[in-house]
């Protein structure tokens, strides 16, 4: 018994040390993909924001990911409202800011009824393709602009699925179409994601003595709500990625705090200002590191 107790203490200590190193490393420097131009000058003035995303309620026993459409709609409203305020405070003009769709690339996920949430006994429907489960009215037609908007969001999601976000390059043709329709000089793609656990799920995990740590599914291995907001700012004239960064962390995904989004956009420069050279520097790997 004494040996097991000592082993348990040792294991917890190791996890704690690794966690502190992990947190310390992330807190000291923030890795951002940015163009060389943004280090010297900032030409961004008029931004068009296009948001898409999904809220996932993981199932308990049978497994699988469950898409909550109503929760995703609310999350998109909250994210884009706070994003608009933050970018406006930085001096930018938002000529266009819209929700596009929900549930891109959710094939083999389960679709929940409108009021699923805390009730995991209700009937679920299997999603059979990768098309968005819900499209907002402004983008439901077959016009060139709607097609371009969906195309570019699909490209971003596919880059995520294929683990090549760091080298994501949007279609220049689609960017040109969006620029002509919005008259913005910069296109901002905002991908929103969240993991939401029911009260029952959290209580069950606590009762079983699940210890928060780094390992396992859903980011950090423990039963905790997670929130992500990911931004890609694109030059609407040339199609180049100007600034790209996101944060995935513990937090309320449906009604994210303004502080969370401020942290995501903390190192996005204010209008007419390049990167803060005192806080940010380009690394040998081509990424910008800020602290």
């Amino acid at each position: 018994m004494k040996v097991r107790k000592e082993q348990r203490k040792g294991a917890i200590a190791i996890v704690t040390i690794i966690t502190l190193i992990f947190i310390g490393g992330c807190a000291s420097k923030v890795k951002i993909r940015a163009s060389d131009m943004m280090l010297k000058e900032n030409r961004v003035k008029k931004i068009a924001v296009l948001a898409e995303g999904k809220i996932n309620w993981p199932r308990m026993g049978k497994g699988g990911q469950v898409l909550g459409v109503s929760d995703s709609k609310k999350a998109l409203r909250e994210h884009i409202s706070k994003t608009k305020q933050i970018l406006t405070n930085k001096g930018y003009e938002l000529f266009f800011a819209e929700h596009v769709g929900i549930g891109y690339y959710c094939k083999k996920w389960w679709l929940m009824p409108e009021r699923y949430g805390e009730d995991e006994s209700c009937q679920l429907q299997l999603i059979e393709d990768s098309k968005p489960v819900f499209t907002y009215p402004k983008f439901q037609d077959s016009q060139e602009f709607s097609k371009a908007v969906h195309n570019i969001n699909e490209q971003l999601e596919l880059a995520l699925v294929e683990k090549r976000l760091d080298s994501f390059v949007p279609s220049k043709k689609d960017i040109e179409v969006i620029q002509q329709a919005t008259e913005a000089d910069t296109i901002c793609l905002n991908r929103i994601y969240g993991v939401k656990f029911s009260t029952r799920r959290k209580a069950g995990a606590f009762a079983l003595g699940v210890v928060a740590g780094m390992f396992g599914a859903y980011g950090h291995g423990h039963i905790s709500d997670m929130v992500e907001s990911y931004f890609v700012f694109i030059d609407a004239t040339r199609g180049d990625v100007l600034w790209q960064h996101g944060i995935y962390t513990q937090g309320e995904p449906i009604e994210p705090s303004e502080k969370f989004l401020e942290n995501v956009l903390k190192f996005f420069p204010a209008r007419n200002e390049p990167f803060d050279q005192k806080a940010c520097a380009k690394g040998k790997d081509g990424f910008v590191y800020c602290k």
Side-chain angles (χ1 to χ4, degrees), residues 49-56 67-84 97-106 109 136 153 156-157 160 165 188-196 226-232 245-249 251-257 260-261 264-265:
V49 179
L50 300 169
E52 59 93 4
K54 64 194 78 168
I55 297 296
N56 173 24
L67 175 67
V69 174
S70 60
D71 290 325
S72 299
K73 288 179 182 178
K74 186 172 182 179
L76 260 65
R77 286 196 304 270
E78 292 288 332
H79 276 256
I80 205 168
S81 174
K82 292 179 172 69
T83 295
K84 286 166 65 177
E98 295 290 341
H99 321 88
V100 178
I102 291 167
Y104 287 89
Y105 282 89
C106 281
W109 281 41
Y136 284 85
N153 278 289
L156 179 62
E157 283 288 333
L160 175 71
L165 268 180
C188 171
L189 303 182
N190 183 201
R191 180 187 185 270
I192 292 148
Y193 178 70
V195 178
K196 187 74 176 175
M226 304 294 290
V227 58
E228 178 185 53
S229 198
Y230 199 90
F231 291 90
V232 183
H245 177 57
I247 293 177
Y248 180 58
T249 187
E252 168 53 53
I254 300 174
E255 297 183 76
S257 68
F260 164 70
L261 284 163
V264 182
L265 292 167

Side-chain angles (χ1 to χ4, degrees), residues 14-56:
I14 290 169
V15 171
T16 302
I17 291 168
I18 295 173
T19 303
L20 288 172
I21 292 171
F22 177 80
I23 292 172
C26 288
S28 61
K29 289 188 178 181
V30 176
K31 180 181 177 182
I32 297 171
R33 178 188 179 190
S35 70
D36 290 340
M37 185 187 75
M38 289 291 283
L39 292 170
K40 302 173 184 177
E41 61 175 323
N42 180 4
R43 300 176 184 173
V44 179
K45 291 178 172 58
K46 304 173 183 178
I47 303 174
V49 179
L50 300 169
E52 59 93 4
K54 64 194 78 168
I55 297 296
N56 173 24

